[in-house]
Amino acid sequence: MTIASMNFGAPITVPPGSQIAIKNDDSAEHSVTSDTAGKFDVDVEGKGQGTLTAPTDPGEYAFHCTYHPSMHGTLTVK
């Protein structure tokens, strides 16, 4: 997943429990935070990288950036 221009990009689909590399091309810090509490929450420094572990239950998971409320994305696990 690449965060760029204050946007998460296209929705992504991954297998349950997979590791997702996150690259933040913006200079601002972002988070990838599940709208459902406790599923995932990763902070990624500006121009930094992080890793997110996908939930083990199949489904669609909406997420947002806690620092920039207008940023939203969707992770599909199947």
Side-chain angles (χ1 to χ4, degrees):
M1 172 188 303
T2 300
I3 302 169
S5 301
M6 304 295 279
N7 192 307
F8 288 115
I12 62 171
T13 301
V14 298
S18 60
Q19 296 292 305
I20 303 165
I22 303 167
K23 181 181 177 194
N24 182 0
D25 283 346
D26 290 340
S27 58
E29 181 176 3
H30 294 298
S31 76
V32 181
T33 304
S34 173
D35 289 358
T36 303
K39 293 294 181 183
F40 51 86
D41 184 14
V42 176
D43 285 346
V44 185
E45 295 289 330
K47 302 293 183 184
Q49 297 182 18
T51 303
L52 165 70
T53 302
T56 55
D57 295 326
E60 287 193 356
Y61 296 87
F63 61 88
H64 61 278
C65 174
T66 56
Y67 303 104
H68 307 98
S70 64
M71 293 177 62
H72 296 274
T74 302
L75 171 66
T76 300
V77 176
K78 64 178 184 179

